[in-house]
Amino acid sequence: MTPADPGNWWTLPSHRSWLDTESSRLLDFGTTLDHPAGGAAWLDDRGNPDLDHPAHTYITARMAHVHFLGSVQGRPGSRRRADRVFDGLSTTLRDNTNRGWFESSADATSPDAVKSAYTHAFVVLAASAATAVGHPRGRELLDEALDTVDSRFWDERYGMCSDTWTVDWSELDPYRGINANMHMVEALLAAADAGAPELWRERALRICDNVCRWSAANEWRVPEHFTAEWIPQLEYNRDDVANQFKPYGATVGHGFEWARLLVQASLVAGGRDYVDAAQSLYDRAAVDGWQPGPTPGFVYTTDWTGQPVVTGRLHWVLCEAIGAAATLGRVTGEERYGSDYRTWWDVAADYFVDRVDGSWHHELDSHNVPAATVWSGKPDLYHAVQATWISRYAPNTSMLAALQPDSD
């Protein structure tokens, strides 16, 4: 056994116990997950279904993912919750006419409905977890989801995934984006860990190669938006800076998220070494995004010189900073990551963890007061639960691999 290092909390049995307790508290939030239409509901501040929202496919998939993996750890109730919402991916949310998956339960009758790589990445992720735990429809759904990614989204010429189609697959939007590809890397690594062909792992690595190249050419701020030919569009959405999925500028949390994913990918990357790139992305995100002072936290976005644009604090940004610090700290042994990790968990505990109504506040303003400018409610558990797991377990190619019984 590796001796505990008080400078690195993740080695302390007491801290690991705290993480286990927090992940359990999160998974207990919102025991009523089911949307009447099928799939998972968007949860409000107290964990009740907010039926002003339809059942979103990405939230359904993320909730199935975390509860399937909760069941791997022996969490009573998680498997039943996962099974119930996962059923929505085979019924309400699946397009039985055109194949693939709707964005939400409202899309079957919407003339403006689309199909996105972002949503399909999460379907792959959920199906990978379902396959790993032996769900009777897991493998079938994973194969179908990967076939859809292959035939509709994967672009062999560029080694990237396209972004958005019309619902009948008749027209492909010229926009290309990094966000969907980032989650596709996570999903494809998990799929390979669940037994999918190695082709998918290699495609995840090709995406990583491209992102490293573009980021290195942009002072390690990740370009988010591109043309159909994958030319960066740095001024995209300059007039919509707080967009939920396509904000202007550099998204601080994505710098951290890519840093973590690159370390995970490096474990199966053969001759590729992504750790230096991961450290550069981490450093840039930390320098640009961190706001010290009496109400510390990370801004949501910056411009291309590192100046804050959207100064509100989103919980997922802090979650990814925590995860990246834990991952790089374990891999490199550098003390600075342990210091960052302690600081950022302090911020989470002091401001984001909601001990009254449960879960974490999903958004705070620049004074760390709960807000709802970008997000309302506490829709799902994905980022916060994974922050506790990434902190708790040794780095691996996916959360699926990290949480296996012999990985502790």
Side-chain angles (χ1 to χ4, degrees):
M1 174 180 282
T2 303
D5 176 358
N8 291 329
W9 278 2
W10 54 78
T11 69
L12 300 177
S14 55
H15 180 63
R16 291 161 65 154
S17 177
W18 185 91
L19 292 167
D20 287 343
T21 300
E22 180 60 13
S23 65
S24 293
R25 192 188 70 87
L26 285 162
L27 289 169
D28 284 339
F29 178 75
T31 55
T32 306
L33 302 176
D34 308 79
H35 195 286
W42 182 290
L43 301 181
D44 67 14
D45 286 325
R46 295 187 175 182
N48 299 314
D50 181 351
L51 299 185
D52 288 338
H53 294 269
H56 290 273
T57 304
Y58 80 95
I59 286 178
T60 297
R62 284 170 19 164
M63 292 299 263
H65 164 74
V66 298
H67 278 294
F68 277 133
L69 296 187
S71 74
V72 170
Q73 300 170 83
R75 283 278 309 158
S78 273
R79 177 59 191 267
R80 292 180 64 247
R81 294 177 194 173
D83 284 348
R84 291 200 312 269
V85 298
F86 185 74
D87 186 62
L89 298 179
S90 298
T91 55
T92 304
L93 300 169
R94 184 179 178 276
D95 184 348
N96 293 316
T97 301
N98 299 298
R99 299 178 64 84
W101 281 266
F102 297 117
E103 297 294 285
S104 79
S105 58
D107 284 1
T109 58
S110 171
D112 300 319
V114 298
K115 292 193 172 93
S116 72
Y118 178 90
T119 287
H120 282 73
F122 283 112
V123 174
V124 171
L125 188 68
S128 299
T131 300
V133 303
H135 190 286
R137 293 193 302 278
R139 173 60 64 185
E140 178 185 358
L141 195 139
L142 176 59
D143 289 344
E144 181 181 351
L146 288 172
D147 181 67
T148 303
V149 171
D150 183 52
S151 62
R152 299 299 185 179
F153 293 106
W154 180 252
D155 188 333
E156 180 64 21
R157 176 182 177 187
Y158 294 104
M160 298 290 288
C161 286
S162 57
D163 203 84
T164 306
W165 286 87
T166 51
V167 74
D168 62 356
W169 306 110
S170 63
E171 184 176 350
L172 177 62
D173 193 294
Y175 171 87
R176 302 289 184 270
I178 285 295
N179 192 14
N181 280 274
M182 180 181 70
H183 286 292
M184 196 64 76
V185 167
E186 177 189 35
L188 296 184
L189 291 175
D193 285 337
E198 284 297 307
L199 163 73
W200 293 106
R201 212 184 311 261
E202 182 57 35
R203 286 179 173 180
L205 298 178
R206 289 184 65 189
I207 296 172
C208 290
D209 290 341
N210 285 323
V211 171
C212 288
R213 174 169 53 84
W214 288 318
S215 300
N218 199 44
E219 298 182 317
W220 294 105
R221 297 182 182 100
V222 182
E224 295 282 341
H225 313 297
F226 293 77
T227 67
E229 294 76 30
W230 287 99
I231 299 170
Q233 300 293 288
L234 299 184
E235 293 303 302
Y236 188 90
N237 267 352
R238 190 66 177 85
D239 58 351
D240 188 14
V241 296
N243 188 284
Q244 280 187 335
F245 294 105
K246 299 177 181 177
Y248 160 77
T251 304
V252 171
H254 286 170
F256 289 124
E257 199 163 356
W258 274 112
R260 171 178 61 82
L261 287 169
L262 286 174
V263 173
Q264 292 178 211
S266 72
L267 300 175
V268 289
R272 299 169 170 97
D273 183 0
Y274 294 131
V275 175
D276 285 347
Q279 290 184 285
S280 295
L281 287 165
Y282 178 100
D283 291 343
R284 172 55 68 194
V287 168
D288 285 358
W290 180 246
Q291 302 291 294
T295 54
F298 286 104
V299 300
Y300 179 33
T301 60
T302 71
D303 67 16
W304 299 111
T305 68
Q307 294 302 304
V309 175
V310 179
T311 57
R313 285 85 186 270
L314 300 187
H315 89 295
W316 72 265
V317 177
L318 183 63
C319 290
E320 293 302 332
I322 289 168
T327 301
L328 281 166
R330 283 187 169 101
V331 168
T332 68
E334 294 184 22
E335 294 181 3
R336 63 193 181 103
Y337 296 113
S339 176
D340 286 347
Y341 178 87
R342 295 190 300 273
T343 297
W344 296 339
W345 264 121
D346 283 345
V347 172
D350 286 347
Y351 299 107
F352 280 96
V353 174
D354 186 348
R355 294 182 176 83
V356 176
D357 292 322
S359 190
W360 291 23
H361 300 296
H362 272 42
E363 181 180 350
L364 306 176
D365 67 15
S366 58
H367 302 290
N368 285 345
V369 175
T373 302
V374 180
W375 290 99
S376 64
K378 299 169 182 170
D380 72 318
L381 304 172
Y382 164 78
H383 282 287
V385 171
Q386 290 208 149
T388 67
W389 289 340
I390 294 165
S391 298
R392 172 71 171 78
Y393 293 92
N396 213 315
T397 45
S398 66
M399 287 310 313
L400 181 63
L403 296 177
Q404 293 304 311
D406 61 352
S407 64
D408 194 356

